[in-house]
Amino acid sequence: MNHIKYYAYPHQPISFDFKQTIERFFVEEIPLYHFTGSGNYLILKIKKTDMSTHKLLTVLAKATELQVRDIGYAGLKDKNATTVQYISIPKQAERLLKKNLTTERVEILERTYNKGAIKIGHLKGNRFSIVLHDVNPQDAKFFNTTAKMMQTKGIPNYYGYQRFGEDSKSYLQGREIAHSGKKLKGSREKLLVAAYQSHLFNRWLSQRVKLSSIIVSESTEVSAKKLGYPHELVKILSKQPQFFKLFLGDIVMPYPYGKPQFVKDMHQASHAFIHKKSAPTGLLCGANALRAKSDAAYLEEPFDDTELSSLKGERRFAWIWPQNVETVYEKETKTLKVDFYLPKGAYATTFLEEIGKFSLKEEK
């Protein structure tokens, strides 16, 4: 266990040293679509080091004499990393950008144009390259084997520790704000309420991973007793070939994106899931969120909050598949470089924690 996180894979923990620094953590955005090459918006492929996305926007706004709201971006990138992301600005600001952007922590790698601005979510995924230290040869080999297996079987899509602030308790402030009934003021309050949403999602996902683990590892009789489920239900669930068990009324979406639909035929839904054609989703509660039905609603309800109406709410994939996993081990330095791709919204640290079986958050 990792706080409220329940791991899906049963192997023993793997030891390695992880630190999120500009030398050891690299991430590059993969755009959702190809840019047109012409239009009213300048598209910048920017490499930044030791700088948050919010700070980058401030720097660009100052250089171009634009408002921050006039600068488009697809997603937030960490400060303590070397990151590559795409930014859009109105074309007429290009001259001022060339003249005034001087910081060494920002490098423009490529320029092109597009008919529209980049907006939040205009992102296919992220490519990561992370260097782990203090890895012995046996663990390096097992790490590679396990990571490749997860590429095939998938992993739970938990929110990473970064979502919950330095003390891991920002969701408590978010819950208080959500229950106040007031309109959210500024990005900080929105982030806090979103952290509360994410906390509820992680708790629900942990419960689903735990019950799936019991069904996979125990007999039908033992599972039914431990879970308090009817014997016939457990028997049906245990026949599903994938680890994460689907229930009637679960909401699945075509993977990696598509419209949500309810599980009515568990065999059909399971077949699509095992072949990576669709994946189950969890609730991010809010005013317009789609809720599960039937048996799945019973499992979801304890982690819902109908008082949270200040955000719209949505569904988030509960299960994802890492791609393009490669590792390179240096025996002399005992370092392991891990390259992989994750869909948007997924956390690299969640993938590493599922392999290592321990929290990567540094103790303060």
Side-chain angles (χ1 to χ4, degrees):
M1 283 293 291
N2 175 0
H3 303 296
I4 62 168
K5 186 184 291 187
Y6 201 95
Y7 297 115
Y9 289 80
H11 62 260
Q12 292 299 308
I14 300 174
S15 177
F16 55 80
D17 175 70
F18 167 86
K19 282 187 174 59
Q20 190 167 327
T21 65
I22 60 173
E23 298 86 10
R24 293 172 58 176
F25 195 104
F26 175 87
V27 56
E28 179 179 357
E29 282 185 350
I30 308 300
L32 183 61
Y33 51 77
H34 294 293
F35 302 113
T36 58
S38 62
N40 293 326
Y41 291 90
L42 174 66
I43 305 298
L44 305 169
K45 184 179 182 180
I46 290 180
K47 179 180 178 181
K48 65 177 182 63
T49 55
D50 196 29
M51 180 184 289
S52 69
T53 298
H54 288 306
K55 178 64 176 176
L56 172 64
L57 298 178
T58 302
V59 168
L60 293 175
K62 185 177 180 181
T64 56
E65 298 179 7
L66 293 168
Q67 298 295 315
V68 168
R69 64 174 177 269
D70 297 323
I71 303 174
Y73 64 99
L76 299 176
K77 292 291 170 284
D78 294 316
K79 176 180 184 290
N80 299 320
T82 296
T83 70
V84 174
Q85 68 183 120
Y86 290 84
I87 298 291
S88 69
I89 63 173
K91 189 177 181 179
Q92 61 267 27
E94 185 171 6
R95 183 182 59 80
L96 284 174
L97 180 75
K98 287 180 178 178
K99 178 182 176 183
N100 298 328
L101 185 64
T102 57
T103 176
E104 294 180 356
R105 290 186 291 163
V106 175
E107 179 184 355
I108 297 175
L109 302 178
E110 295 176 13
R111 299 169 188 250
T112 187
Y113 300 93
N114 199 53
K115 291 179 179 179
I118 295 174
K119 295 183 179 180
I120 294 289
H122 283 186
L123 181 65
K124 184 179 180 183
N126 293 288
R127 186 182 296 119
F128 296 91
S129 185
I130 297 171
V131 179
L132 306 174
H133 286 213
D134 297 334
V135 185
N136 68 47
Q138 294 81 8
D139 282 345
K141 186 176 181 180
F142 188 73
F143 188 107
N144 180 65
T145 303
T146 304
K148 292 288 179 67
M149 178 176 62
M150 290 176 178
Q151 183 172 252
T152 301
K153 294 185 175 182
I155 59 171
N157 191 24
Y158 289 111
Y159 280 97
Y161 63 81
Q162 304 93 317
R163 186 75 166 179
F164 306 105
E166 288 295 320
D167 61 357
S168 301
K169 294 180 179 179
S170 62
Y171 72 91
L172 294 173
Q173 290 176 271
R175 181 173 62 190
E176 190 175 322
I177 294 168
H179 289 178
S180 71
K182 66 177 184 178
K183 190 175 180 180
L184 300 183
K185 293 180 181 178
S187 58
R188 184 176 180 275
E189 286 196 352
K190 187 176 180 180
L191 281 171
L192 289 170
V193 175
Y196 176 48
Q197 274 183 324
S198 306
H199 171 74
L200 292 173
F201 174 91
N202 272 11
R203 286 183 60 206
W204 167 84
L205 182 53
S206 186
Q207 175 235 33
R208 290 293 296 264
V209 170
K210 183 178 181 181
L211 72 84
S212 296
S213 181
I214 290 170
I215 292 169
V216 166
S217 61
E218 305 283 5
S219 67
T220 303
E221 291 75 14
V222 173
S223 296
K225 188 175 181 181
K226 281 189 175 182
L227 297 171
Y229 291 174
H231 186 275
E232 280 304 309
L233 174 59
V234 175
K235 194 174 179 181
I236 292 168
L237 293 170
S238 65
K239 287 181 179 178
Q240 295 181 18
Q242 79 284 351
F243 169 84
F244 188 98
K245 305 306 179 187
L246 298 175
F247 286 74
L248 287 175
D250 261 326
I251 298 174
V252 296
M253 290 196 299
Y255 189 86
Y257 34 75
K259 293 183 179 180
Q261 55 197 43
F262 292 97
V263 171
K264 297 176 181 176
D265 183 324
M266 289 204 287
H267 176 74
Q268 187 179 27
S270 176
H271 184 267
F273 185 16
I274 200 75
H275 287 93
K276 304 181 186 178
K277 292 180 179 179
S278 70
T281 67
L283 173 68
L284 293 177
C285 53
N288 302 326
L290 186 63
R291 264 79 179 185
K293 295 180 179 178
S294 190
D295 292 347
Y298 172 79
L299 297 171
E300 184 176 275
E301 193 275 334
F303 309 101
D304 193 357
D305 188 339
T306 54
E307 288 187 53
L308 198 164
S309 58
S310 51
L311 294 178
K312 290 182 179 180
E314 58 182 312
R315 306 297 300 190
R316 171 182 169 86
F317 279 119
W319 200 261
I320 58 168
W321 290 270
Q323 296 177 30
N324 306 324
V325 176
E326 298 293 340
T327 66
V328 177
Y329 183 62
E330 293 289 343
K331 192 173 182 179
E332 294 76 17
T333 58
K334 296 181 70 176
T335 57
L336 182 70
K337 184 167 81 74
V338 188
D339 296 338
F340 55 97
Y341 165 89
L342 293 177
K344 71 174 183 178
Y347 286 75
T349 47
T350 291
F351 177 43
L352 297 178
E353 286 180 346
E354 185 65 49
I355 299 173
K357 293 285 183 293
F358 64 93
S359 172
L360 299 184
K361 181 174 171 57
E362 287 189 66
E363 297 296 332
K364 298 294 182 182

